[in-house]
Structure formats: C-alpha cells, structure tokens
Amino acid sequence: MLISILEKINNLNNALFAPLDNFFESLPFEDWINDAFIDSFHLFPFLFFIFIVIEVLEFYFSDKLDSCIKKSRKRSIAIGSLASLFPQCGFSIIASSLYSKKMITRGCLIAVYLGTSDETIPILLAHPEKAQMVIPIIGLKLFIAILGGYVIDIFSGHFNNPDVINKTDSIEEALEEAHEHIHEEGCCNHDLMTKNRHELILHPIFHTINILAFILVITLVLNYSLDKVQITEMLSVSNHHYMQCIIASLIGLIPNCAISIAITMMLIKGTITFGAAMSGLLANGGLGLLILLKNNKFKDSMIVIIILATISILAGCLIEYLV
C-alpha cells in the first residue's frame, strides 16, 4: 500500500517538476550535472512527506521509547534494536550517554548502533523503484542487532555486571544529559527535550533542506565518478566485493549523519553491492559514536568500535556470499 502511494506521488511529482526539469536541461552544463540537480530536487516532496510522518511519531512516542529502555536491562537490547530502526535524530546519542553512565550494557549499545538507520529509510522511500529494499534492510539490521547484542552480553557477562546500575534517578539524569547533547550536536539543532507543535512543520522543512543539500553534493560526486572515472566497472569486479564491505564498514564508522546518505545513494546508483551497503549501514551509529568518544573511557570506546566494525564487516561479507 505504501509503495502504491509513493508511486502515485511520484507520478504527480514528475508532472509538477516537468517545467523545472526543462529549465535544468536547458542549462549549458554537462548531463551528469543536470541529472544531479533534477534527481535531487525531485526528492523534495517525498522527503518532506516522510519527515513529517517521522516528526509526528517522534513527537508523540519518543518519551515512551526512553521509558521502555530503562524498565528492563535484559529486554533493553530488543527494545533498543527496534527503537533504533526508527529514523530519528538522537536515539544513538541517548544510548551513548546511557552507556557512558553505565545505565545500559555494551551489548545494548552496540545493538542500537547496528540498528540505527538515520536517513536510509527516508531516502529509499523517496525512490519508489527502490522502496522494496526497505524491508530486507530493516529485517537484516534488526536480526543482526538483536543477535549481536545478546551474544556480546552473554560472553562479556554484562547481565550480571554490578557496575551496570539501574537507578531511576540516575537514568533520568543521564537522559537529561543525552538530550542536551542532542540539542548541541544533533542535525538542524533539533532539541528532542523541548516539544513544540510548531516544529511538527518547521523541523521537517529544515531537515528536508539539510538532507537535500547532502544528497545534491553526494549525487554530483557519484555522477561525476560514474561518468568520468568509470567507478562502476572498477567496483563490479568480483574480487573487490569483500573489500567493499571492509571499506564501507570503515566509512560507516565516521560519526556524521551524511554517511548513511552517501552509502544509501551509492547503493541506489549501483556503485556498491548490497552486502557492502549493509556493512556500511550496520557500522553507522550516526552521532552516537562522537558522544561515546567524548564521554566514555577511550579504551572502552575503542573496544566498542572494534566490535561494531568486526560485526559489520563479517555480516556484510556473509550477505555478499549468500546473495
């Protein structure tokens, strides 16, 4: 049903943007530049619609997600994995702050990172012809996140770790600190702690413009690579597929919202394989890794990053082998 709605929006979108397409095509630029502008601007209605839906859900349900995480440590891995799949600004930041305060286990933190999708789902939904990829990506990320989180905690014994506390007042303090980080570090300076109904429209507008700017720059780079460098032919060699998984995973570790956009756009353009894209998306914990490095012990943070990268690379290579 959703894909059908997106296809109808796409048909209306093509009709509405026809004059603008003709304008871009009349400009004295090379085709790869014109195509980048046309493809990027066509995404505006899709992204705006999707971000409004996300904003409404976030506005009414974000507090419930926070409370669910702090009710049970053992269930927090499954709950955190599910919550992290939801495309929103700060859940990985919240998880990082809770972990640095020893409110959640290492397995729970890594499960949240593995499940974090950032802008992947909105961008795929904005391309109706690629929307069928959403379910496989969500399903794989959820399965790997839950499995990885529980395995890590079982082997590390964190379920019985006395250092992991569960005091409600301490958790409230950690959540408040996490929201402060979201206000300082999050995209669009969006503050999840202060809820304002005006932001139900304003934030999706600013967020859509922000993401479109990233998409335009990334699309220009990809189109240039495809047109001038013949990168598709270089990356399509079978011997390079597993190397793609390693490289994509390392790129995914960069703590920036634009990374998930770049990996998703490369998947859409066909410059990387599905397995490599999964490696990069699994490793991409968004801004959460930045908060972890700021607030947590360096040695422990590096252990988390190494485990996250290892799981992402192995999972991507396995997907590559099976697919």
Coordinates of all heavy atoms in Angstrom, one line a residue, residues 25-76:
E25 N 17.6 21.2 -17.9 CA 18.2 20.6 -19.2 C 18.6 21.6 -20.2 O 19.4 21.3 -21.1 CB 17.1 19.7 -19.8 CG 16.8 18.4 -19.0 CD 15.7 17.6 -19.5 OE1 15.0 18.1 -20.5 OE2 15.5 16.5 -19.0
S26 N 18.0 22.8 -20.1 CA 18.4 23.9 -21.0 C 19.7 24.6 -20.6 O 20.3 25.4 -21.3 CB 17.3 25.0 -21.1 OG 17.1 25.6 -19.8
L27 N 20.2 24.4 -19.3 CA 21.4 25.0 -18.9 C 22.6 24.4 -19.6 O 22.6 23.2 -19.9 CB 21.5 24.8 -17.3 CG 20.5 25.5 -16.5 CD1 20.7 25.1 -15.0 CD2 20.5 27.0 -16.6
P28 N 23.6 25.2 -19.8 CA 24.8 24.8 -20.5 C 25.8 24.0 -19.7 O 27.0 24.3 -19.6 CB 25.5 26.1 -21.0 CG 25.1 27.1 -19.9 CD 23.7 26.7 -19.4
F29 N 25.3 23.0 -19.0 CA 26.1 22.1 -18.2 C 26.1 20.7 -18.8 O 25.3 20.4 -19.6 CB 25.6 22.0 -16.7 CG 25.6 23.3 -16.0 CD1 24.4 23.8 -15.3 CD2 26.7 24.2 -16.0 CE1 24.4 25.0 -14.6 CE2 26.7 25.4 -15.4 CZ 25.5 25.8 -14.7
E30 N 27.1 19.9 -18.3 CA 27.1 18.5 -18.8 C 25.9 17.7 -18.2 O 25.4 18.1 -17.2 CB 28.4 17.9 -18.4 CG 29.7 18.5 -19.1 CD 30.9 17.7 -18.8 OE1 30.9 16.4 -18.9 OE2 32.0 18.3 -18.5
D31 N 25.6 16.6 -18.8 CA 24.4 15.8 -18.4 C 24.5 15.4 -17.0 O 23.5 15.3 -16.3 CB 24.3 14.6 -19.3 CG 23.8 15.0 -20.7 OD1 23.3 16.2 -20.9 OD2 24.0 14.2 -21.7
W32 N 25.7 15.0 -16.5 CA 25.8 14.5 -15.1 C 25.5 15.5 -14.1 O 25.0 15.2 -13.0 CB 27.2 13.9 -14.9 CG 28.4 14.8 -15.0 CD1 29.1 15.1 -16.1 CD2 29.0 15.5 -13.9 NE1 30.1 16.0 -15.8 CE2 30.0 16.3 -14.5 CE3 28.7 15.7 -12.6 CZ2 30.8 17.1 -13.7 CZ3 29.5 16.5 -11.8 CH2 30.5 17.2 -12.3
I33 N 25.8 16.8 -14.4 CA 25.4 17.9 -13.5 C 23.9 18.1 -13.5 O 23.3 18.2 -12.5 CB 26.2 19.2 -13.9 CG1 27.7 19.0 -13.8 CG2 25.7 20.3 -13.0 CD1 28.5 20.2 -14.2
N34 N 23.3 18.2 -14.7 CA 21.9 18.4 -14.9 C 21.1 17.3 -14.2 O 20.1 17.6 -13.5 CB 21.5 18.5 -16.3 CG 22.1 19.8 -17.0 OD1 22.3 20.8 -16.3 ND2 22.2 19.7 -18.3
D35 N 21.5 16.1 -14.4 CA 20.9 14.9 -13.8 C 20.9 15.0 -12.3 O 19.9 14.6 -11.6 CB 21.5 13.6 -14.3 CG 21.2 13.4 -15.8 OD1 20.3 14.0 -16.3 OD2 21.9 12.5 -16.4
A36 N 22.0 15.4 -11.7 CA 22.1 15.5 -10.3 C 21.1 16.5 -9.7 O 20.5 16.2 -8.7 CB 23.6 15.9 -9.9
F37 N 21.0 17.6 -10.3 CA 20.0 18.6 -9.8 C 18.6 18.1 -10.0 O 17.8 18.3 -9.1 CB 20.2 20.0 -10.6 CG 21.3 20.8 -10.0 CD1 22.6 20.8 -10.6 CD2 21.0 21.7 -9.0 CE1 23.6 21.6 -10.1 CE2 22.1 22.5 -8.5 CZ 23.3 22.4 -9.0
I38 N 18.3 17.5 -11.1 CA 16.9 17.0 -11.4 C 16.6 15.9 -10.4 O 15.5 15.9 -9.7 CB 16.8 16.5 -12.8 CG1 16.9 17.7 -13.8 CG2 15.5 15.7 -13.0 CD1 16.9 17.2 -15.3
D39 N 17.5 14.9 -10.2 CA 17.2 13.8 -9.3 C 17.1 14.3 -7.9 O 16.2 13.8 -7.1 CB 18.4 12.8 -9.3 CG 18.4 12.1 -10.7 OD1 17.4 12.1 -11.4 OD2 19.5 11.5 -11.0
S40 N 17.9 15.3 -7.4 CA 17.8 15.8 -6.1 C 16.5 16.6 -5.8 O 15.9 16.3 -4.8 CB 19.1 16.7 -5.8 OG 20.2 15.9 -5.9
F41 N 16.2 17.5 -6.7 CA 15.0 18.3 -6.4 C 13.7 17.5 -6.5 O 12.7 17.8 -5.8 CB 14.9 19.4 -7.5 CG 15.8 20.6 -7.1 CD1 17.1 20.7 -7.5 CD2 15.3 21.6 -6.3 CE1 17.9 21.8 -7.2 CE2 16.1 22.7 -5.9 CZ 17.4 22.8 -6.4
H42 N 13.7 16.4 -7.3 CA 12.6 15.5 -7.3 C 12.3 14.8 -6.0 O 11.1 14.4 -5.8 CB 12.8 14.4 -8.4 CG 12.3 14.9 -9.8 ND1 11.4 14.2 -10.5 CD2 12.7 15.9 -10.5 CE1 11.2 14.8 -11.6 NE2 11.9 15.8 -11.7
L43 N 13.3 14.7 -5.1 CA 13.1 14.1 -3.8 C 12.4 14.9 -2.8 O 12.0 14.4 -1.8 CB 14.5 13.6 -3.3 CG 15.2 12.6 -4.1 CD1 16.6 12.3 -3.4 CD2 14.4 11.3 -4.3
F44 N 12.3 16.2 -3.0 CA 11.8 17.1 -2.0 C 10.4 16.7 -1.5 O 10.2 16.6 -0.3 CB 11.8 18.6 -2.5 CG 11.4 19.6 -1.5 CD1 12.3 20.2 -0.6 CD2 10.0 19.9 -1.3 CE1 11.9 21.1 0.3 CE2 9.6 20.8 -0.3 CZ 10.6 21.4 0.5
P45 N 9.4 16.5 -2.4 CA 8.1 16.2 -1.8 C 8.1 14.9 -1.0 O 7.4 14.8 0.0 CB 7.2 16.1 -3.1 CG 7.9 16.8 -4.1 CD 9.4 16.7 -3.8
F46 N 8.8 13.9 -1.5 CA 8.9 12.6 -0.8 C 9.5 12.8 0.6 O 8.9 12.3 1.6 CB 9.7 11.6 -1.6 CG 9.1 11.1 -2.9 CD1 9.4 11.7 -4.1 CD2 8.2 10.1 -2.9 CE1 8.8 11.2 -5.3 CE2 7.6 9.6 -4.0 CZ 7.9 10.2 -5.2
L47 N 10.7 13.4 0.6 CA 11.3 13.6 1.9 C 10.5 14.4 2.9 O 10.5 14.1 4.1 CB 12.7 14.2 1.7 CG 13.8 13.3 0.9 CD1 15.0 14.1 0.7 CD2 14.1 12.1 1.7
F48 N 9.9 15.4 2.4 CA 9.1 16.3 3.3 C 8.0 15.5 3.8 O 7.7 15.6 5.1 CB 8.6 17.5 2.5 CG 7.8 18.5 3.3 CD1 8.4 19.1 4.4 CD2 6.5 18.8 3.0 CE1 7.7 20.0 5.2 CE2 5.8 19.7 3.8 CZ 6.4 20.3 4.9
F49 N 7.3 14.8 3.0 CA 6.1 13.9 3.5 C 6.6 12.9 4.5 O 6.0 12.8 5.6 CB 5.5 13.2 2.3 CG 4.5 12.2 2.7 CD1 3.2 12.5 3.2 CD2 4.8 10.8 2.6 CE1 2.3 11.5 3.5 CE2 3.9 9.8 2.9 CZ 2.6 10.2 3.4
I50 N 7.7 12.2 4.2 CA 8.2 11.2 5.1 C 8.7 11.8 6.4 O 8.4 11.3 7.5 CB 9.4 10.4 4.4 CG1 8.8 9.6 3.3 CG2 10.0 9.5 5.4 CD1 9.9 9.1 2.3
F51 N 9.4 12.9 6.4 CA 9.9 13.6 7.6 C 8.8 14.1 8.5 O 8.9 14.2 9.7 CB 10.9 14.7 7.3 CG 12.2 14.1 6.8 CD1 12.9 14.8 5.8 CD2 12.8 13.0 7.4 CE1 14.1 14.3 5.3 CE2 14.0 12.5 7.0 CZ 14.7 13.1 5.9
I52 N 7.7 14.5 7.9 CA 6.5 15.0 8.7 C 5.9 13.8 9.4 O 5.6 13.9 10.6 CB 5.4 15.6 7.8 CG1 5.8 17.0 7.3 CG2 4.1 15.6 8.5 CD1 4.8 17.7 6.5
V53 N 5.8 12.6 8.8 CA 5.3 11.4 9.4 C 6.2 11.1 10.6 O 5.8 10.8 11.7 CB 5.2 10.3 8.4 CG1 4.8 9.0 9.2 CG2 4.1 10.6 7.4
I54 N 7.5 11.1 10.3 CA 8.5 10.8 11.4 C 8.4 11.7 12.5 O 8.5 11.3 13.7 CB 10.0 10.8 10.8 CG1 10.1 9.6 9.8 CG2 11.0 10.7 11.9 CD1 11.4 9.6 9.0
E55 N 8.3 13.0 12.2 CA 8.2 14.0 13.3 C 7.0 13.8 14.2 O 7.1 14.0 15.4 CB 8.2 15.4 12.6 CG 8.3 16.6 13.6 CD 9.8 16.7 14.1 OE1 10.7 16.2 13.4 OE2 9.9 17.3 15.2
V56 N 5.9 13.5 13.6 CA 4.7 13.3 14.4 C 4.8 12.1 15.3 O 4.5 12.1 16.5 CB 3.5 13.1 13.4 CG1 2.2 12.6 14.2 CG2 3.1 14.4 12.7
L57 N 5.4 11.0 14.7 CA 5.6 9.8 15.5 C 6.6 10.1 16.6 O 6.4 9.6 17.8 CB 6.1 8.6 14.6 CG 5.1 8.1 13.6 CD1 5.8 7.1 12.7 CD2 3.9 7.5 14.3
E58 N 7.7 10.8 16.3 CA 8.7 11.1 17.3 C 8.1 12.0 18.4 O 8.4 11.9 19.6 CB 9.9 11.8 16.6 CG 11.1 12.1 17.5 CD 12.2 12.8 16.7 OE1 11.9 13.5 15.8 OE2 13.3 12.5 17.1
F59 N 7.3 13.0 18.0 CA 6.7 13.9 19.0 C 5.8 13.2 20.0 O 5.9 13.5 21.2 CB 5.8 14.9 18.2 CG 5.2 16.0 19.0 CD1 5.9 17.2 19.3 CD2 3.9 15.8 19.6 CE1 5.3 18.2 20.1 CE2 3.4 16.8 20.4 CZ 4.1 18.0 20.6
Y60 N 5.1 12.2 19.6 CA 4.1 11.5 20.5 C 4.7 10.3 21.2 O 4.2 9.8 22.2 CB 2.9 11.2 19.7 CG 2.0 12.4 19.4 CD1 2.0 12.9 18.1 CD2 1.3 13.1 20.4 CE1 1.2 14.0 17.8 CE2 0.5 14.2 20.1 CZ 0.5 14.6 18.8 OH -0.3 15.8 18.5
F61 N 5.8 9.7 20.6 CA 6.2 8.4 21.1 C 7.6 8.3 21.6 O 8.0 7.3 22.1 CB 6.0 7.3 20.0 CG 4.6 7.1 19.7 CD1 4.1 7.5 18.4 CD2 3.7 6.4 20.5 CE1 2.7 7.3 18.1 CE2 2.4 6.2 20.2 CZ 1.9 6.7 19.0
S62 N 8.4 9.4 21.5 CA 9.8 9.3 21.9 C 10.0 9.1 23.4 O 10.9 8.4 23.8 CB 10.6 10.6 21.4 OG 10.0 11.7 22.1
D63 N 9.1 9.7 24.2 CA 9.2 9.5 25.6 C 8.9 8.1 26.0 O 9.5 7.5 26.9 CB 8.2 10.4 26.3 CG 8.6 11.9 26.3 OD1 9.8 12.1 26.0 OD2 7.7 12.8 26.4
K64 N 8.0 7.4 25.3 CA 7.7 6.0 25.6 C 8.9 5.1 25.3 O 9.1 4.1 26.0 CB 6.5 5.6 24.8 CG 5.2 6.3 25.2 CD 4.0 5.8 24.4 CE 2.7 6.5 24.9 NZ 1.5 6.1 24.1
L65 N 9.6 5.5 24.2 CA 10.8 4.7 23.9 C 11.8 4.8 25.0 O 12.5 3.8 25.4 CB 11.4 5.2 22.6 CG 10.6 4.9 21.3 CD1 11.3 5.5 20.1 CD2 10.4 3.4 21.1
D66 N 12.0 6.0 25.5 CA 13.0 6.2 26.6 C 12.6 5.4 27.8 O 13.5 4.8 28.5 CB 13.1 7.7 27.0 CG 13.7 8.5 25.9 OD1 14.3 7.9 25.0 OD2 13.7 9.7 25.9
S67 N 11.3 5.4 28.2 CA 10.9 4.7 29.4 C 11.0 3.2 29.2 O 11.3 2.5 30.2 CB 9.5 5.1 29.7 OG 8.6 4.7 28.7
C68 N 10.8 2.7 28.0 CA 10.9 1.3 27.8 C 12.3 0.8 28.0 O 12.5 -0.3 28.5 CB 10.4 0.9 26.4 SG 8.6 1.0 26.1
I69 N 13.3 1.6 27.5 CA 14.7 1.2 27.6 C 15.1 1.0 29.1 O 15.9 0.1 29.4 CB 15.6 2.3 27.0 CG1 15.4 2.1 25.4 CG2 17.0 2.1 27.4 CD1 16.0 0.9 24.9
K70 N 14.6 1.9 30.0 CA 15.1 1.9 31.4 C 14.3 0.9 32.3 O 14.6 0.8 33.4 CB 15.1 3.3 31.9 CG 13.7 3.9 32.0 CD 13.9 5.4 32.4 CE 12.5 6.1 32.5 NZ 12.6 7.5 32.8
K71 N 13.3 0.3 31.7 CA 12.5 -0.6 32.6 C 13.1 -2.0 32.8 O 13.0 -2.6 33.8 CB 11.1 -0.8 32.0 CG 10.1 0.4 32.2 CD 8.8 0.1 31.7 CE 7.9 1.3 32.0 NZ 6.5 1.1 31.4
S72 N 13.8 -2.5 31.8 CA 14.4 -3.8 31.9 C 15.7 -3.9 31.1 O 15.8 -3.6 29.9 CB 13.4 -4.9 31.3 OG 14.1 -6.1 31.3
R73 N 16.8 -4.3 31.8 CA 18.1 -4.4 31.2 C 18.1 -5.5 30.2 O 18.6 -5.3 29.1 CB 19.2 -4.6 32.2 CG 19.7 -3.3 32.8 CD 21.1 -3.5 33.3 NE 21.3 -4.7 34.1 CZ 21.2 -4.7 35.4 NH1 20.8 -3.7 36.1 NH2 21.5 -5.8 36.1
K74 N 17.5 -6.6 30.5 CA 17.6 -7.8 29.6 C 16.8 -7.5 28.3 O 17.1 -8.0 27.2 CB 17.2 -9.0 30.3 CG 18.2 -9.5 31.4 CD 17.9 -10.9 31.9 CE 19.0 -11.3 32.9 NZ 18.7 -12.6 33.4
R75 N 15.6 -6.9 28.5 CA 14.8 -6.6 27.3 C 15.3 -5.4 26.6 O 14.8 -5.1 25.5 CB 13.3 -6.4 27.7 CG 12.6 -7.7 28.2 CD 11.1 -7.5 28.1 NE 10.7 -6.4 28.9 CZ 10.3 -6.6 30.2 NH1 10.4 -7.7 30.8 NH2 9.8 -5.5 30.8
S76 N 16.2 -4.6 27.1 CA 16.6 -3.4 26.5 C 17.3 -3.6 25.2 O 17.3 -2.7 24.3 CB 17.6 -2.6 27.5 OG 18.8 -3.3 27.7

